Amino acid sequence: MYPTLVTFHILFAGIWLAFFLFELTFRKQIQKKFDFDKITTYLKLTNVFGIIGSLGILITGILMVTMRSQYGFFDMTANHWLATKQIIFLIILILTTVMVIPNSKKVREKFKNNQLESDSKELGKLFIANQIINYLVVINFIFAVTHRLY
C-alpha cells in the first residue's frame, strides 16, 4: 500500500507542478491582453488544480507519515527535510485560505458585475499569491527529490 501512496503523492505533486507552468504562461497572457474568457479559465483551473493538488498531497502525505515509524509530523530531529516540507505546506494552506480564496471570490464577483478591470487589485493579489504558492511547491519538490543527498 505504501508504494501506491507514494505514486499518488508524486502524481499530485506533478499536478501542482503542471499548474505552475500553466499559471506562469496564462498570467502573462492575461497581463498582455485583458480577456474575460482567459480570466474565467484561469479562475477555474486555479480552483481545480489547487483542490486536487493540495488535498491529494495532504491526504497521501498524512497517510505516508502515519504508515512509517521513522517519519513524524514537524519532527526536526529525525527528518528535518520532511518537517520543513510540512511547514511549507502549512504556509501554502494559509496563503490559499487568506489570499487565494478571498481574492478569487472578489474577482468572480467583479467579473459578474462587469466591474473587473485589467488593473484590478484583487486580480493582482491573486497573481502574486499563486506565484508565491508555486515557488513554495517547487521548493517542496526539491526537498522531496534531494532529501537522500543530505
Side-chain angles (χ1 to χ4, degrees), residues 39-56:
I39 292 170
T40 302
T41 304
Y42 179 83
L43 291 172
K44 285 178 184 175
L45 291 177
T46 295
N47 195 22
V48 169
F49 277 92
I51 290 171
I52 293 171
S54 63
L55 282 178

Side-chain angles (χ1 to χ4, degrees), residues 4-18 52-53 56-57 60:
T4 303
L5 284 174
V6 171
T7 301
F8 276 106
H9 198 72
I10 291 168
L11 177 69
F12 292 125
I15 288 170
W16 247 357
L17 290 171
I52 293 171
I57 290 288
T60 57

Side-chain angles (χ1 to χ4, degrees), residues 70-83 86:
Q70 71 265 31
Y71 294 149
F73 293 102
F74 308 103
D75 181 11
M76 282 289 189
T77 57
N79 295 296
H80 61 280
W81 64 273
L82 181 58
Q86 292 166 348

